[in-house]
């Protein structure tokens, strides 16, 4: 039997296979909002424990270790190579431990970012490419590095025009 990634790759050339993704997500007990998008080759460790808001998307090659709850808000854009891992081990006893991950609204997560359990990323934050997020990220903060540290502020005003998947296509460089 082929795994989901192989089936999705085989369907890639088809006009519309979002129905397949919706069926798969329902089978995996993943709650998703309206206009959810995701790339190919997404790995989910287990069924359940994930909710994703409206107009949010995951890039290709994401790895999600959902031992504990993962909550992703509205208008969240994640580039490829995202890793979400809600589990770890106690450093003294090596006993497995888990903690939830919460990602707020209007968050941008760059390429190849890792977010560990117990982290809350607040609204309007930006995570730079290649970052390891092991501590909470305040609202309207840009973080980057390993481990991620504040490197800037987001100047978005409440009610300002915020890009989402329904508003326009990305600008070509």
């Amino acid at each position: 039997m082929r795994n989901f990634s192989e089936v999705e790759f085989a369907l890639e050339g088809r006009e519309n296979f979002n129905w397949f993704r919706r069926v798969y997500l329902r089978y995996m007990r993943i709650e998703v909002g309206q206009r959810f998008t995701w790339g190919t080759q997404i790995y989910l460790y287990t069924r359940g424990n994930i909710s994703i808001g409206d107009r949010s998307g995951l890039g290709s090659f994401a790895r999600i270790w959902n031992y504990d709850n993962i909550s992703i808000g509205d208008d969240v854009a994640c580039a490829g190579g995202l890793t979400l891992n809600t589990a770890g081990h106690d450093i003294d006893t090596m006993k497995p431990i888990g903690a939830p991950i919460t990602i707020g609204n209007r968050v941008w997560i760059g390429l190849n970012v890792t977010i560990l359990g117990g982290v809350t990323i607040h609204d309007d934050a930006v995570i730079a490419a290649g970052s390891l997020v092991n501590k909470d990220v305040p609202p309207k903060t840009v973080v980057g590095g390993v481990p991620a540290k504040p490197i800037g502020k987001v100047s978005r005003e409440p009610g300002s025009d915020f890009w989402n998947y329904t508003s326009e296509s990305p600008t070509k460089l």
Side-chain angles (χ1 to χ4, degrees):
M1 183 172 131
R2 296 191 302 181
N3 67 32
F4 173 71
S5 295
E6 291 170 336
V7 171
E8 188 169 54
F9 181 76
L11 291 171
E12 189 72 35
R14 308 289 166 93
E15 282 185 28
N16 184 351
F17 60 95
N18 283 334
W19 62 269
F20 179 76
R21 288 178 171 168
R22 291 272 179 192
V23 169
Y24 176 72
L25 290 170
R26 193 173 310 127
Y27 167 75
M28 292 298 289
R29 294 189 305 223
I30 307 298
E31 298 173 25
V32 295
Q34 296 292 323
R35 296 186 177 123
F36 169 73
T37 60
W38 72 352
T40 59
Q41 306 288 323
I42 305 274
Y43 174 80
L44 300 172
Y45 176 72
T46 188
R47 295 172 72 181
N49 295 336
I50 302 174
S51 67
I52 302 172
D54 293 337
R55 301 170 308 278
S56 292
L58 299 174
S60 296
F61 310 109
R63 295 171 308 276
I64 301 173
W65 305 90
N66 51 330
Y67 299 96
D68 206 320
N69 292 326
I70 297 173
S71 173
I72 299 174
D74 297 337
D75 298 309
V76 174
C78 303
L82 174 68
T83 299
L84 301 174
N85 192 340
T86 60
H89 292 87
D90 180 272
I91 60 172
D92 295 322
T93 65
M94 290 304 291
K95 178 181 175 185
I97 55 174
I101 293 173
T102 303
I103 300 172
N105 299 315
R106 298 171 307 280
V107 172
W108 163 243
I109 300 173
L111 186 69
N112 294 325
V113 168
T114 298
I115 301 171
L116 301 179
V119 167
T120 297
I121 298 173
H122 292 274
D123 294 349
D124 300 302
V126 175
I127 313 300
S131 297
L132 169 67
V133 183
N134 62 353
K135 291 186 175 22
D136 290 355
V137 177
K140 295 187 176 185
T141 302
V142 180
V143 298
V146 178
K149 294 182 176 139
I151 58 175
K153 286 299 215 176
V154 175
S155 61
R156 188 178 311 126
E157 296 300 321
S160 66
D161 186 26
F162 180 75
W163 178 86
N164 63 50
Y165 288 108
T166 61
S167 65
E168 61 187 68
S169 298
T171 304
K172 290 188 179 185
L173 299 176

